PDB file of all heavy atoms in Angstrom:
ATOM      1  N   ALA H 201      19.731 -13.627 -22.864  1.00  0.00           N
ATOM      2  CA  ALA H 201      20.328 -12.520 -22.099  1.00  0.00           C
ATOM      3  C   ALA H 201      20.263 -11.222 -23.017  1.00  0.00           C
ATOM      4  O   ALA H 201      20.417 -11.298 -24.232  1.00  0.00           O
ATOM      5  CB  ALA H 201      21.755 -12.729 -21.696  1.00  0.00           C
ATOM      6  N   ILE H 218      36.009 -23.848 -22.587  1.00  0.00           N
ATOM      7  CA  ILE H 218      37.148 -24.409 -23.410  1.00  0.00           C
ATOM      8  C   ILE H 218      36.924 -23.737 -24.785  1.00  0.00           C
ATOM      9  O   ILE H 218      35.756 -23.519 -25.118  1.00  0.00           O
ATOM     10  CB  ILE H 218      36.990 -25.839 -23.404  1.00  0.00           C
ATOM     11  CG1 ILE H 218      38.188 -26.710 -23.956  1.00  0.00           C
ATOM     12  CG2 ILE H 218      35.779 -26.322 -24.437  1.00  0.00           C
ATOM     13  CD1 ILE H 218      38.175 -28.112 -23.639  1.00  0.00           C
ATOM     14  N   GLY H 239      34.699 -23.499 -15.816  1.00  0.00           N
ATOM     15  CA  GLY H 239      33.396 -23.652 -16.379  1.00  0.00           C
ATOM     16  C   GLY H 239      32.925 -25.068 -15.897  1.00  0.00           C
ATOM     17  O   GLY H 239      33.403 -25.804 -15.073  1.00  0.00           O
TER      18      GLY H 239
END
Side-chain angles (χ1 to χ4, degrees):
I218 199 166

